[in-house]
Amino acid sequence: MDDKAWLERAVAAAAQNVLDGGGPFGALVVKGDELISVGVNRVTPTLDPTAHAEVVAIRDACQKLQTFKLDGCLLVASCEPCPLCLSAALWARMDRVIFAADRHDAAEAGFDDRAFYEVFTTPVEQWPVQVQHLGGPGATLPFQHWNDKADKVEY
């Protein structure tokens, strides 16, 4: 299938999810011509603010492929991925991300992520959540152990 056909499937999954009581977002993970996983927004049914469609699809794909790296894969989203979902795609090392509706379409439906897109361009003191670096003795101990670990799995 081509990109447009995959996008149609992601949009259809999102539309069906609304009818099933979920949010209006759907995502697919595709490797080559193979559909690996489908994810839909599960935030409210699971009470999990990270259960965005893209994250759900990425988690499922990793389990199915038995890897935490999805290089060679395409993330197909019914809507432009928010910063959380884009970060998940980056951490998964996905090759490409495509989407149908954009952030402005989502905002018109009440899903305004502009503050999340803009947070990293503002000083940390102005962020909507207080973030402090306290450091202190032992703060880097986990990294020291990591560096000393002979059998670590690099990511």
Side-chain angles (χ1 to χ4, degrees), residues 97-109:
V97 176
I98 60 173
F99 58 90
D102 67 20
R103 67 180 81 174
H104 308 292
D105 299 317
E108 287 182 24

PDB file of all heavy atoms in Angstrom, residues 97-109:
ATOM      1  N   VAL A  97       7.665   9.548   9.692  1.00  0.00           N
ATOM      2  CA  VAL A  97       6.351   9.790  10.288  1.00  0.00           C
ATOM      3  C   VAL A  97       5.527  10.546   9.249  1.00  0.00           C
ATOM      4  O   VAL A  97       5.995  11.528   8.679  1.00  0.00           O
ATOM      5  CB  VAL A  97       6.458  10.643  11.574  1.00  0.00           C
ATOM      6  CG1 VAL A  97       5.076  10.976  12.119  1.00  0.00           C
ATOM      7  CG2 VAL A  97       7.324   9.958  12.620  1.00  0.00           C
ATOM      8  N   ILE A  98       4.311  10.071   9.005  1.00  0.00           N
ATOM      9  CA  ILE A  98       3.380  10.806   8.139  1.00  0.00           C
ATOM     10  C   ILE A  98       2.065  10.973   8.904  1.00  0.00           C
ATOM     11  O   ILE A  98       1.744  10.184   9.791  1.00  0.00           O
ATOM     12  CB  ILE A  98       3.146  10.106   6.782  1.00  0.00           C
ATOM     13  CG1 ILE A  98       2.550   8.704   6.967  1.00  0.00           C
ATOM     14  CG2 ILE A  98       4.440  10.053   5.977  1.00  0.00           C
ATOM     15  CD1 ILE A  98       2.138   8.037   5.649  1.00  0.00           C
ATOM     16  N   PHE A  99       1.325  12.025   8.572  1.00  0.00           N
ATOM     17  CA  PHE A  99       0.061  12.267   9.267  1.00  0.00           C
ATOM     18  C   PHE A  99      -0.943  12.912   8.331  1.00  0.00           C
ATOM     19  O   PHE A  99      -0.575  13.497   7.311  1.00  0.00           O
ATOM     20  CB  PHE A  99       0.270  13.118  10.522  1.00  0.00           C
ATOM     21  CG  PHE A  99       0.897  14.466  10.299  1.00  0.00           C
ATOM     22  CD1 PHE A  99       0.112  15.577  10.047  1.00  0.00           C
ATOM     23  CD2 PHE A  99       2.278  14.616  10.350  1.00  0.00           C
ATOM     24  CE1 PHE A  99       0.694  16.827   9.849  1.00  0.00           C
ATOM     25  CE2 PHE A  99       2.873  15.854  10.158  1.00  0.00           C
ATOM     26  CZ  PHE A  99       2.077  16.967   9.907  1.00  0.00           C
ATOM     27  N   ALA A 100      -2.223  12.795   8.707  1.00  0.00           N
ATOM     28  CA  ALA A 100      -3.317  13.331   7.898  1.00  0.00           C
ATOM     29  C   ALA A 100      -3.672  14.746   8.372  1.00  0.00           C
ATOM     30  O   ALA A 100      -3.185  15.727   7.814  1.00  0.00           O
ATOM     31  CB  ALA A 100      -4.521  12.399   7.947  1.00  0.00           C
ATOM     32  N   ALA A 101      -4.496  14.869   9.395  1.00  0.00           N
ATOM     33  CA  ALA A 101      -4.875  16.191   9.914  1.00  0.00           C
ATOM     34  C   ALA A 101      -3.679  16.814  10.627  1.00  0.00           C
ATOM     35  O   ALA A 101      -2.747  16.107  11.033  1.00  0.00           O
ATOM     36  CB  ALA A 101      -6.053  16.044  10.878  1.00  0.00           C
ATOM     37  N   ASP A 102      -3.700  18.134  10.782  1.00  0.00           N
ATOM     38  CA  ASP A 102      -2.582  18.780  11.467  1.00  0.00           C
ATOM     39  C   ASP A 102      -3.005  19.340  12.824  1.00  0.00           C
ATOM     40  O   ASP A 102      -4.165  19.212  13.226  1.00  0.00           O
ATOM     41  CB  ASP A 102      -1.916  19.843  10.588  1.00  0.00           C
ATOM     42  CG  ASP A 102      -2.808  21.045  10.295  1.00  0.00           C
ATOM     43  OD1 ASP A 102      -3.793  21.290  11.038  1.00  0.00           O
ATOM     44  OD2 ASP A 102      -2.512  21.753   9.324  1.00  0.00           O
ATOM     45  N   ARG A 103      -2.058  19.953  13.508  1.00  0.00           N
ATOM     46  CA  ARG A 103      -2.306  20.471  14.868  1.00  0.00           C
ATOM     47  C   ARG A 103      -3.411  21.519  14.897  1.00  0.00           C
ATOM     48  O   ARG A 103      -4.105  21.670  15.900  1.00  0.00           O
ATOM     49  CB  ARG A 103      -1.018  21.015  15.482  1.00  0.00           C
ATOM     50  CG  ARG A 103      -0.471  22.242  14.805  1.00  0.00           C
ATOM     51  CD  ARG A 103       0.799  22.758  15.425  1.00  0.00           C
ATOM     52  NE  ARG A 103       1.942  21.999  14.944  1.00  0.00           N
ATOM     53  CZ  ARG A 103       3.193  22.298  15.216  1.00  0.00           C
ATOM     54  NH1 ARG A 103       3.472  23.323  15.996  1.00  0.00           N
ATOM     55  NH2 ARG A 103       4.178  21.587  14.755  1.00  0.00           N
ATOM     56  N   HIS A 104      -3.589  22.247  13.805  1.00  0.00           N
ATOM     57  CA  HIS A 104      -4.627  23.275  13.749  1.00  0.00           C
ATOM     58  C   HIS A 104      -6.014  22.640  13.629  1.00  0.00           C
ATOM     59  O   HIS A 104      -6.977  23.122  14.240  1.00  0.00           O
ATOM     60  CB  HIS A 104      -4.344  24.242  12.602  1.00  0.00           C
ATOM     61  CG  HIS A 104      -2.949  24.796  12.656  1.00  0.00           C
ATOM     62  ND1 HIS A 104      -2.516  25.656  13.637  1.00  0.00           N
ATOM     63  CD2 HIS A 104      -1.871  24.552  11.870  1.00  0.00           C
ATOM     64  CE1 HIS A 104      -1.245  25.948  13.450  1.00  0.00           C
ATOM     65  NE2 HIS A 104      -0.819  25.280  12.387  1.00  0.00           N
ATOM     66  N   ASP A 105      -6.095  21.550  12.891  1.00  0.00           N
ATOM     67  CA  ASP A 105      -7.353  20.802  12.811  1.00  0.00           C
ATOM     68  C   ASP A 105      -7.715  20.262  14.193  1.00  0.00           C
ATOM     69  O   ASP A 105      -8.876  20.318  14.613  1.00  0.00           O
ATOM     70  CB  ASP A 105      -7.227  19.634  11.825  1.00  0.00           C
ATOM     71  CG  ASP A 105      -6.921  20.089  10.411  1.00  0.00           C
ATOM     72  OD1 ASP A 105      -7.539  21.070   9.943  1.00  0.00           O
ATOM     73  OD2 ASP A 105      -6.059  19.455   9.768  1.00  0.00           O
ATOM     74  N   ALA A 106      -6.720  19.746  14.903  1.00  0.00           N
ATOM     75  CA  ALA A 106      -6.950  19.214  16.255  1.00  0.00           C
ATOM     76  C   ALA A 106      -7.403  20.321  17.198  1.00  0.00           C
ATOM     77  O   ALA A 106      -8.310  20.121  18.021  1.00  0.00           O
ATOM     78  CB  ALA A 106      -5.685  18.541  16.777  1.00  0.00           C
ATOM     79  N   ALA A 107      -6.800  21.495  17.083  1.00  0.00           N
ATOM     80  CA  ALA A 107      -7.166  22.616  17.958  1.00  0.00           C
ATOM     81  C   ALA A 107      -8.626  23.016  17.752  1.00  0.00           C
ATOM     82  O   ALA A 107      -9.329  23.336  18.717  1.00  0.00           O
ATOM     83  CB  ALA A 107      -6.245  23.805  17.701  1.00  0.00           C
ATOM     84  N   GLU A 108      -9.090  22.977  16.503  1.00  0.00           N
ATOM     85  CA  GLU A 108     -10.489  23.316  16.223  1.00  0.00           C
ATOM     86  C   GLU A 108     -11.457  22.343  16.892  1.00  0.00           C
ATOM     87  O   GLU A 108     -12.600  22.688  17.172  1.00  0.00           O
ATOM     88  CB  GLU A 108     -10.741  23.354  14.717  1.00  0.00           C
ATOM     89  CG  GLU A 108     -10.133  24.561  14.042  1.00  0.00           C
ATOM     90  CD  GLU A 108     -10.426  24.602  12.555  1.00  0.00           C
ATOM     91  OE1 GLU A 108     -11.433  24.007  12.110  1.00  0.00           O
ATOM     92  OE2 GLU A 108      -9.634  25.238  11.831  1.00  0.00           O
ATOM     93  N   ALA A 109     -10.968  21.116  17.165  1.00  0.00           N
ATOM     94  CA  ALA A 109     -11.810  20.113  17.829  1.00  0.00           C
ATOM     95  C   ALA A 109     -11.593  20.113  19.344  1.00  0.00           C
ATOM     96  O   ALA A 109     -12.105  19.241  20.040  1.00  0.00           O
ATOM     97  CB  ALA A 109     -11.507  18.731  17.252  1.00  0.00           C
TER      98      ALA A 109
END
